[in-house]
Coordinates of all heavy atoms in Angstrom, one line a residue:
V231 N 4.5 6.2 11.2 CA 5.1 7.2 12.1 C 3.9 8.0 12.6 O 3.1 8.5 11.9 CB 6.1 8.1 11.3 CG1 6.6 9.2 12.2 CG2 7.2 7.2 10.8
E232 N 4.0 8.2 13.9 CA 2.9 8.8 14.7 C 2.6 10.2 14.1 O 1.4 10.6 13.9 CB 3.2 8.9 16.1 CG 2.1 9.2 17.0 CD 2.4 9.1 18.5 OE1 2.9 8.0 18.9 OE2 2.3 10.1 19.2
E233 N 3.6 11.0 13.8 CA 3.4 12.4 13.3 C 2.8 12.4 12.0 O 2.2 13.4 11.6 CB 4.7 13.1 13.3 CG 5.3 13.4 14.7 CD 6.1 12.3 15.3 OE1 6.1 11.2 14.8 OE2 6.7 12.5 16.4
L234 N 2.9 11.3 11.2 CA 2.3 11.3 9.8 C 0.9 10.8 9.8 O 0.1 11.1 8.8 CB 3.2 10.4 8.9 CG 4.6 11.0 8.7 CD1 5.4 10.0 7.9 CD2 4.6 12.3 8.0
E235 N 0.4 10.0 10.7 CA -0.9 9.5 10.8 C -1.5 9.7 12.2 O -2.1 8.7 12.7 CB -1.0 8.1 10.3 CG -0.6 7.8 8.9 CD -0.9 6.5 8.4 OE1 -2.1 6.3 7.9 OE2 -0.1 5.6 8.4
P236 N -1.5 10.9 12.8 CA -1.9 11.0 14.2 C -3.4 10.7 14.4 O -3.7 10.1 15.4 CB -1.5 12.5 14.5 CG -1.5 13.2 13.2 CD -1.0 12.2 12.2
R237 N -4.2 11.2 13.5 CA -5.7 11.1 13.7 C -6.1 9.6 13.7 O -6.8 9.1 14.6 CB -6.4 11.8 12.6 CG -7.9 11.8 12.8 CD -8.6 12.4 11.5 NE -8.3 13.8 11.4 CZ -9.2 14.7 11.8 NH1 -10.3 14.4 12.3 NH2 -8.9 16.0 11.6
A238 N -5.6 8.8 12.7 CA -5.9 7.4 12.6 C -5.5 6.6 13.9 O -6.2 5.8 14.5 CB -5.4 6.8 11.4
L239 N -4.2 6.9 14.3 CA -3.6 6.1 15.4 C -4.3 6.5 16.7 O -4.6 5.6 17.5 CB -2.1 6.4 15.5 CG -1.3 5.8 14.3 CD1 0.0 6.6 14.2 CD2 -1.1 4.4 14.6
S240 N -4.7 7.7 16.9 CA -5.4 8.2 18.1 C -6.7 7.5 18.2 O -7.1 7.0 19.2 CB -5.5 9.7 18.1 OG -6.3 10.1 19.2
A241 N -7.4 7.4 17.1 CA -8.8 6.8 17.0 C -8.6 5.3 17.3 O -9.4 4.7 18.1 CB -9.4 7.0 15.7
L242 N -7.6 4.6 16.7 CA -7.5 3.2 16.9 C -7.1 2.8 18.4 O -7.5 1.8 18.9 CB -6.4 2.7 16.0 CG -6.7 2.6 14.5 CD1 -5.5 2.3 13.7 CD2 -7.8 1.6 14.3
N243 N -6.4 3.8 19.1 CA -6.1 3.5 20.5 C -7.3 3.5 21.4 O -7.2 3.0 22.5 CB -5.1 4.6 20.9 CG -3.6 4.1 20.7 OD1 -3.3 3.0 20.8 ND2 -2.8 5.1 20.2
N244 N -8.4 3.9 20.9 CA -9.6 3.8 21.7 C -10.2 2.4 21.8 O -11.0 2.1 22.6 CB -10.8 4.7 21.1 CG -10.5 6.2 21.2 OD1 -9.9 6.6 22.3 ND2 -10.8 7.0 20.3
Y245 N -9.7 1.5 20.9 CA -10.1 0.1 20.8 C -9.1 -0.9 21.3 O -9.4 -1.8 22.0 CB -10.5 -0.3 19.4 CG -11.4 0.7 18.7 CD1 -10.9 1.5 17.7 CD2 -12.7 0.9 19.1 CE1 -11.7 2.5 17.0 CE2 -13.5 1.9 18.5 CZ -13.0 2.7 17.5 OH -13.8 3.6 16.9
L246 N -7.8 -0.6 20.9 CA -6.7 -1.5 21.3 C -5.5 -0.7 21.4 O -5.3 0.4 20.8 CB -6.5 -2.5 20.1 CG -7.4 -3.7 19.9 CD1 -7.0 -4.4 18.6 CD2 -7.2 -4.7 21.1
P247 N -4.5 -1.2 22.2 CA -3.2 -0.5 22.2 C -2.5 -0.6 20.9 O -2.1 -1.7 20.5 CB -2.4 -1.2 23.3 CG -3.4 -2.0 24.1 CD -4.5 -2.4 23.1
N248 N -2.3 0.5 20.2 CA -1.6 0.6 18.9 C -0.3 1.3 19.1 O -0.3 2.4 19.7 CB -2.5 1.3 17.8 CG -3.5 0.4 17.2 OD1 -3.4 -0.1 16.1 ND2 -4.6 0.1 18.0
Y249 N 0.8 0.8 18.5 CA 2.1 1.5 18.7 C 2.6 1.7 17.3 O 2.9 0.8 16.5 CB 3.0 0.6 19.5 CG 2.5 0.1 20.8 CD1 1.6 -0.9 20.9 CD2 2.9 0.8 22.0 CE1 1.1 -1.3 22.1 CE2 2.4 0.3 23.2 CZ 1.5 -0.7 23.3 OH 1.0 -1.1 24.5
A250 N 2.8 3.0 16.9 CA 3.5 3.3 15.7 C 5.0 3.2 15.9 O 5.6 4.0 16.6 CB 3.1 4.7 15.2
I251 N 5.6 2.2 15.2 CA 7.0 2.0 15.5 C 7.8 2.0 14.2 O 9.0 1.6 14.1 CB 7.2 0.6 16.2 CG1 6.7 -0.5 15.3 CG2 6.6 0.6 17.5 CD1 7.1 -1.9 15.8
G252 N 7.3 2.6 13.1 CA 7.9 2.6 11.8 C 8.8 3.8 11.6 O 8.9 4.7 12.4
P253 N 9.5 3.8 10.5 CA 9.6 2.7 9.5 C 10.6 1.7 10.0 O 11.7 1.9 10.3 CB 10.1 3.4 8.2 CG 10.9 4.6 8.8 CD 10.3 5.0 10.0
L254 N 10.1 0.4 10.0 CA 10.8 -0.7 10.7 C 12.2 -0.9 10.0 O 13.2 -1.2 10.7 CB 10.0 -2.0 10.6 CG 9.1 -2.2 11.8 CD1 8.1 -3.3 11.5 CD2 9.8 -2.4 13.1
N255 N 12.2 -0.8 8.7 CA 13.5 -1.1 8.0 C 14.6 0.0 8.2 O 15.7 -0.2 7.6 CB 13.3 -1.5 6.6 CG 12.4 -0.5 5.8 OD1 11.6 0.2 6.4 ND2 12.6 -0.4 4.5
F256 N 14.3 1.0 8.9 CA 15.2 2.1 9.1 C 15.5 2.4 10.6 O 15.9 3.5 11.0 CB 14.8 3.4 8.4 CG 14.7 3.2 6.9 CD1 13.4 3.2 6.3 CD2 15.8 3.1 6.1 CE1 13.3 3.0 4.9 CE2 15.7 2.9 4.7 CZ 14.4 2.9 4.2
S257 N 15.3 1.4 11.4 CA 15.5 1.5 12.9 C 17.0 1.7 13.1 O 17.8 1.1 12.5 CB 15.0 0.3 13.6 OG 13.6 0.1 13.4
L258 N 17.3 2.6 14.1 CA 18.7 2.8 14.5 C 19.1 1.8 15.5 O 18.2 1.1 16.1 CB 18.8 4.3 15.0 CG 18.5 5.4 14.0 CD1 18.8 6.7 14.7 CD2 19.3 5.3 12.7
N259 N 20.4 1.7 15.8 CA 20.9 0.9 16.8 C 20.7 -0.6 16.6 O 20.6 -1.3 17.5 CB 20.4 1.3 18.2 CG 20.7 2.8 18.5 OD1 21.8 3.3 18.1 ND2 19.8 3.5 19.0
L260 N 20.4 -1.0 15.4 CA 20.4 -2.4 15.0 C 21.6 -2.8 14.3 O 22.3 -1.9 13.7 CB 19.2 -2.7 14.1 CG 17.8 -2.8 14.6 CD1 16.8 -3.2 13.5 CD2 17.8 -3.9 15.7
P261 N 22.0 -4.1 14.4 CA 23.1 -4.5 13.6 C 22.7 -4.3 12.1 O 21.5 -4.4 11.8 CB 23.3 -6.0 13.9 CG 22.0 -6.4 14.5 CD 21.5 -5.2 15.2
T262 N 23.7 -3.9 11.3 CA 23.3 -3.8 9.9 C 22.6 -5.1 9.5 O 23.1 -6.2 9.7 CB 24.6 -3.6 9.0 OG1 25.2 -2.4 9.5 CG2 24.2 -3.4 7.5
N263 N 21.4 -5.0 8.9 CA 20.6 -6.1 8.6 C 21.4 -7.3 8.0 O 21.7 -7.2 6.9 CB 19.4 -5.7 7.7 CG 18.4 -6.8 7.6 OD1 18.7 -8.0 8.0 ND2 17.2 -6.5 7.2
P264 N 21.7 -8.3 8.8 CA 22.5 -9.4 8.3 C 21.6 -10.5 7.8 O 22.0 -11.7 7.8 CB 23.2 -9.9 9.6 CG 22.2 -9.6 10.7 CD 21.3 -8.5 10.3
V265 N 20.4 -10.2 7.3 CA 19.5 -11.2 6.8 C 19.1 -10.8 5.3 O 18.7 -9.7 5.0 CB 18.2 -11.2 7.6 CG1 17.3 -12.3 7.1 CG2 18.5 -11.4 9.1
T266 N 19.4 -11.8 4.4 CA 19.0 -11.6 3.0 C 17.6 -12.0 2.8 O 17.3 -13.2 2.9 CB 20.0 -12.4 2.1 OG1 21.3 -12.0 2.4 CG2 19.6 -12.2 0.7
T267 N 16.7 -11.1 2.5 CA 15.3 -11.4 2.3 C 14.8 -11.2 0.9 O 13.6 -11.4 0.6 CB 14.5 -10.5 3.2 OG1 14.7 -9.1 2.9 CG2 14.8 -10.7 4.7
S268 N 15.7 -10.7 0.0 CA 15.2 -10.5 -1.4 C 14.9 -11.8 -2.1 O 15.7 -12.8 -2.1 CB 16.3 -9.7 -2.2 OG 15.9 -9.6 -3.5
L269 N 13.7 -11.9 -2.8 CA 13.3 -13.1 -3.5 C 13.9 -13.1 -4.9 O 13.6 -14.1 -5.7 CB 11.8 -13.2 -3.5 CG 11.1 -13.3 -2.1 CD1 9.6 -13.3 -2.3 CD2 11.6 -14.4 -1.3
W270 N 14.6 -12.1 -5.3 CA 15.2 -12.0 -6.7 C 16.7 -11.6 -6.6 O 17.0 -10.9 -5.7 CB 14.4 -11.0 -7.5 CG 13.0 -11.5 -7.8 CD1 12.6 -12.3 -8.8 CD2 11.9 -11.1 -7.1 NE1 11.2 -12.4 -8.7 CE2 10.8 -11.7 -7.7 CE3 11.7 -10.3 -5.9 CZ2 9.5 -11.6 -7.2 CZ3 10.4 -10.2 -5.4 CH2 9.3 -10.8 -6.1
S271 N 17.4 -12.0 -7.6 CA 18.8 -11.5 -7.7 C 18.8 -10.1 -8.1 O 18.0 -9.6 -8.9 CB 19.6 -12.3 -8.7 OG 19.6 -13.7 -8.3
K272 N 19.7 -9.3 -7.4 CA 19.7 -7.8 -7.7 C 20.7 -7.4 -8.7 O 21.8 -7.9 -8.7 CB 20.0 -7.1 -6.3 CG 19.0 -7.4 -5.2 CD 19.4 -6.7 -3.9 CE 18.4 -7.0 -2.8 NZ 18.9 -6.5 -1.5
S273 N 20.3 -6.4 -9.5 CA 21.2 -5.8 -10.4 C 21.8 -4.5 -9.7 O 21.1 -3.9 -9.0 CB 20.5 -5.4 -11.7 OG 20.0 -6.5 -12.4
D274 N 23.0 -4.2 -10.0 CA 23.6 -3.0 -9.5 C 23.5 -1.8 -10.5 O 24.0 -1.9 -11.6 CB 25.1 -3.2 -9.2 CG 25.7 -2.1 -8.4 OD1 25.1 -1.0 -8.4 OD2 26.8 -2.3 -7.8
C275 N 22.7 -0.8 -10.1 CA 22.5 0.3 -11.1 C 23.5 1.5 -10.9 O 23.3 2.5 -11.5 CB 21.0 0.8 -10.8 SG 19.8 -0.4 -10.9
T276 N 24.4 1.3 -9.9 CA 25.2 2.4 -9.5 C 26.0 3.1 -10.6 O 26.0 4.3 -10.8 CB 26.2 2.0 -8.4 OG1 25.5 1.3 -7.4 CG2 26.9 3.2 -7.7

Side-chain angles (χ1 to χ4, degrees):
V231 173
E232 196 171 305
E233 289 83 354
L234 294 175
E235 297 193 83
R237 183 189 290 263
L239 291 159
S240 176
L242 288 169
N243 272 319
N244 290 324
Y245 313 109
L246 280 173
N248 280 257
Y249 306 79
I251 61 168
L254 273 168
N255 48 335
F256 298 107
S257 301
L258 298 186
N259 304 318
L260 277 185
T262 302
N263 190 341
V265 183
T266 300
T267 57
S268 174
L269 300 177
W270 294 273
S271 298
K272 298 175 183 175
S273 298
D274 188 345
C275 307
T276 312

